[in-house]
């Protein structure tokens, strides 16, 4: 069994920081070896301490992580690789998307299998396994999107759980496509509740939104900014409240995906204060981008079309606050890239035909670290919202989400001083633009290990598409 000693770094976990070396044996973390304080200060370790540790453990390879953070690999629980949408497919395959994720320090994704109307959940799951199997550089799991609620589907939910898929996403948006009525949602929630599974909700009032969209198009308001203006934050707040009420009636755990509006956050906070099993995630685009980006001229705004839409800037502060107070527990990306050329362009002259989605799987860890650098999050909280909580929320902990003996050696060595400029010219996602083009940030991944294997090795790709394994997930570990 080959061994790697990661020496000299600062181990960052959800519970704090520790000057420690990490010994990897095969696919697992074998030991976390705290270094003695040497009088150089809590974070200023001397070479002497490192050598002591290294001398104590003979490893096949020693990686010098001096001055670097050693983190549990990022877990992005909301991605859409090669997802069918509006007559096209999101541009990243499982191969390109998981490679890009690894470049950005993410070692696990949970993607969405998408039930088409009239098909079965198990056939859907099989189809998604066929797409991902042998094509992932990092480990992966699936959630199931239910778009056709009927007796067969409801019965199949238990079989999905047995197959390691115990989170089911439903939509209050997209009438005629993924939309479920309140009655259908209630039925699925009741079924999920019987086994403790979590229902994930895209909470926007799609019925009302479709009326606003039709009015805008009829009035000739066809530019991309109208995507945002026809999906007002109040309709996310309303749908979030409704989903919470339905979950309360069904006694079902609820996870609000890609929360973007302060109205929705207030509803989640109230439910959590009331002790309900309600959780929510947000995404970097809602923390950093705004309706102003959707309003960029010359159809540039199409690059920022996703649902829920980017909000007016004032929502950002409440989202950062929600992350600090744990009303928002997770940051995922909703990575769903469509190229500007030929894909986003489908909606020239009609914003409602612009494929919904933005790229982001590569930069979640960096953008959150930028929040640390800006004093908006603590270091441990960064790791918590990006890795540890996603692992616990979706039944992967302690295999994933922590640097501890016995856990998978999914480890990121992160240079908090490195500078980088985000750009389509340098990113690894299979998409022809960056939503953060030209943004300068502090911090960069140096090395990413997935189950002990270097996937990114000191700035070079060293992975392979047959490495990633499908993860059978357990239930949400936050439920009481
Ligand atoms: Zn999504």
């Amino acid at each position: 069994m080959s061994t790697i000693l990661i020496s000299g770094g600062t181990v960052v976990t959800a519970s704090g920081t520790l000057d420690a070396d990490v010994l990897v044996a095969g696919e697992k973390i074998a030991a976390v070896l705290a270094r003695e304080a040497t009088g150089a200060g809590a974070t200023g370790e001397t070479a002497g301490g490192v050598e002591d540790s290294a001398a104590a453990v003979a490893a096949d390879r020693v990686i010098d992580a001096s001055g670097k953070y050693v983190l549990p690999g990022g877990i992005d629980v909301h991605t859409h690789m090669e997802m069918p949408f509006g007559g096209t497919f999101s541009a990243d395959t499982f191969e390109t998307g998981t490679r890009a994720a690894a470049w950005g320090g993410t070692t696990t994704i949970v993607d969405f299998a998408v039930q088409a109307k009239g098909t079965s959940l198990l056939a859907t799951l099989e189809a998604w396994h066929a797409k991902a199997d042998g094509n992932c550089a990092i480990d992966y799991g699936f959630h199931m999107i239910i778009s056709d609620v009927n007796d067969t589907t409801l019965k199949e939910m238990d079989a999905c759980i047995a197959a390691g898929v115990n989170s089911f996403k439903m939509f209050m948006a997209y009438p005629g496509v993924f939309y479920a009525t309140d009655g259908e949602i209630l039925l699925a929630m009741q079924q999920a509740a019987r086994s403790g599974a979590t229902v994930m909700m895209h909470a926007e009032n799609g019925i009302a939104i479709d009326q606003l969209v039709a009015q805008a198009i009829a009035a000739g308001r066809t530019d991309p900014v109208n995507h945002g203006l026809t999906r007002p934050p109040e309709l996310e707040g309303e749908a979030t409240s409704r989903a919470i009420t339905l979950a309360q009636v069904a006694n079902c755990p609820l996870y609000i995906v890609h929360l973007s509006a302060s109205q929705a956050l207030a509803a989640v906070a109230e439910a959590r204060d009331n002790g309900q099993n309600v959780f929510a995630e947000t995404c970097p685009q809602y923390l950093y981008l705004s309706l102003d980006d959707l309003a960029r001229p010359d159809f540039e705004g199409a690059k920022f079309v996703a649902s829920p839409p980017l909000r007016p800037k004032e929502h950002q502060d409440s989202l950062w606050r929600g992350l600090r107070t744990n009303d928002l527990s997770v940051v995922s990306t909703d990575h769903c890239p469509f190229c500007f050329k030929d894909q986003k362009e489908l909606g020239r002259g009609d914003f409602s035909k612009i494929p919904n989605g933005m790229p982001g799987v590569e930069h979640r860890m960096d953008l959150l670290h930028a929040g640390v650098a800006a004093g908006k999050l603590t270091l441990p909280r960064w790791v918590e919202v990006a890795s540890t909580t996603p692992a616990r929320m979706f039944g992967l902990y302690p295999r994933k989400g922590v640097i501890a003996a016995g856990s998978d050696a999914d480890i990121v060595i992160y240079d908090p001083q490195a500078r980088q400029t985000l750009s389509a010219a340098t990113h690894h996602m299979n998409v022809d633009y960056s939503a953060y083009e030209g943004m300068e940030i502090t911090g960069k991944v140096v090395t990413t290990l997935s189950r002990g294997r270097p996937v990114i090795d000191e700035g070079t790709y060293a992975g392979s598409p047959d490495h990633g394994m499908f993860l059978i997930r357990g239930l949400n570990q936050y439920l009481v």
Side-chain angles (χ1 to χ4, degrees):
M1 192 184 292
S2 83
T3 53
I4 300 174
L5 184 71
I6 301 167
S7 76
T10 300
V11 173
V12 185
T13 67
S15 51
T17 60
L18 179 69
D19 289 324
D21 300 347
V22 178
L23 180 67
V24 173
E27 298 195 343
K28 300 284 184 186
I29 294 169
V32 180
L33 308 157
R35 294 192 301 275
E36 299 263 332
T38 55
T43 55
E45 280 306 311
T46 65
V50 176
E51 279 168 10
D52 287 345
S53 232
V57 179
D60 298 324
R61 178 177 173 189
V62 177
I63 298 176
D64 179 10
S66 304
K68 314 283 197 303
Y69 296 145
V70 179
L71 320 168
I75 300 175
D76 189 343
V77 295
H78 192 150
T79 67
H80 300 281
M81 306 304 175
E82 47 195 293
M83 190 191 92
F85 189 95
T88 185
F89 287 84
S90 60
D92 264 315
T93 61
F94 280 92
E95 181 168 354
T96 63
T98 56
R99 198 163 53 204
W103 275 103
T106 287
T107 53
T108 299
I109 61 166
V110 187
D111 204 271
F112 290 86
V114 187
Q115 180 197 28
K117 286 220 191 296
T119 65
S120 87
L121 295 185
L122 291 175
T124 301
L125 189 55
E126 210 170 295
W128 254 259
H129 274 301
K131 292 184 196 213
D133 185 27
N135 291 318
C136 293
I138 56 171
D139 290 350
Y140 61 97
F142 292 127
H143 312 286
M144 177 62 68
I145 288 177
I146 299 179
S147 57
D148 197 353
V149 176
N150 56 49
D151 287 348
T152 312
T153 297
L154 292 170
K155 286 201 185 85
E156 281 186 311
M157 287 171 69
D158 278 344
C160 287
I161 293 167
V165 175
N166 48 42
S167 36
F168 300 90
K169 184 181 179 190
M170 304 189 77
F171 289 79
M172 303 168 103
Y174 304 126
V177 189
F178 299 127
Y179 174 83
T181 65
D182 289 355
E184 290 167 339
I185 289 168
L186 185 74
L187 288 174
M189 283 179 166
Q190 288 172 331
Q191 181 62 39
R194 287 182 195 116
S195 39
T198 295
V199 167
M200 309 169 78
M201 191 61 71
H202 180 135
E204 285 186 291
N205 185 328
I207 299 288
I209 284 168
D210 271 11
Q211 296 302 327
L212 297 175
V213 169
Q215 288 168 359
I217 300 288
R221 300 192 302 269
T222 60
D223 287 344
V225 70
N226 293 289
H227 173 77
L229 298 175
T230 56
R231 309 179 82 93
E234 291 79 4
L235 292 182
E236 185 185 344
E238 181 276 328
T240 302
S241 297
R242 186 155 37 99
I244 287 168
T245 302
L246 292 168
Q248 187 174 28
V249 169
N251 195 24
C252 175
L254 176 67
Y255 179 93
I256 303 291
V257 294
H258 47 47
L259 188 149
S260 71
S262 53
Q263 290 89 339
L265 180 60
V268 167
E270 188 188 349
R272 290 175 62 76
D273 287 349
N274 289 337
Q276 206 178 328
N277 281 318
V278 169
F279 311 91
E281 65 177 16
T282 190
C283 310
Q285 55 269 33
Y286 302 117
L287 296 166
Y288 284 97
L289 303 171
S290 76
L291 191 64
D292 296 347
D293 294 295
L294 263 176
R296 290 196 204 183
D298 301 327
F299 199 63
E300 282 278 300
K303 295 175 177 174
F304 304 91
V305 167
S307 293
L310 301 180
R311 300 301 185 187
K313 270 201 173 68
E314 54 266 27
H315 292 261
Q316 293 172 0
D317 281 347
S318 34
L319 297 181
W320 283 109
R321 191 182 62 238
L323 276 179
R324 286 196 297 277
T325 59
N326 206 35
D327 287 324
L328 294 170
S329 309
V330 170
V331 176
S332 67
T333 60
D334 195 13
H335 175 74
C336 192
F338 295 100
C339 287
F340 185 71
K341 190 172 161 25
D342 295 338
Q343 291 193 300
K344 291 288 187 181
E345 284 182 334
L346 293 169
R348 267 196 202 274
D350 181 351
F351 69 87
S352 72
K353 300 215 160 49
I354 299 170
N356 280 213
M358 288 173 57
V361 75
E362 188 169 347
H363 298 307
R364 184 182 62 119
M365 300 297 282
D366 288 331
L367 288 165
L368 286 173
H369 180 262
V372 175
K376 294 180 171 183
L377 287 183
T378 65
L379 264 183
R381 186 65 181 154
W382 171 41
V383 169
E384 189 165 38
V385 300
S387 176
T388 309
T389 299
R392 293 188 66 190
M393 190 75 69
F394 293 102
L396 293 167
Y397 187 92
R399 179 173 176 189
K400 308 288 192 189
V402 64
I403 303 261
S407 294
D408 279 359
D410 289 1
I411 299 173
V412 171
I413 300 171
Y414 196 84
D415 182 349
Q417 308 296 339
R419 299 282 296 166
Q420 61 169 322
T421 304
L422 305 185
S423 172
T426 49
H427 74 201
H428 302 85
M429 298 176 285
N430 186 36
V431 60
D432 61 1
Y433 73 95
S434 170
Y436 306 96
E437 186 67 42
M439 183 176 171
E440 289 184 28
I441 54 175
T442 302
K444 195 175 196 310
V445 169
V446 179
T447 291
T448 302
L449 303 185
S450 165
R451 282 182 288 110
R453 173 178 177 160
V455 178
I456 304 303
D457 196 344
E458 302 194 18
T460 304
Y461 180 71
S464 69
D466 59 1
H467 171 77
M469 281 176 47
F470 174 69
L471 298 168
I472 303 259
R473 296 183 294 106
L475 294 175
N476 186 327
Q477 294 164 5
Y478 286 104
L479 305 182
V480 286

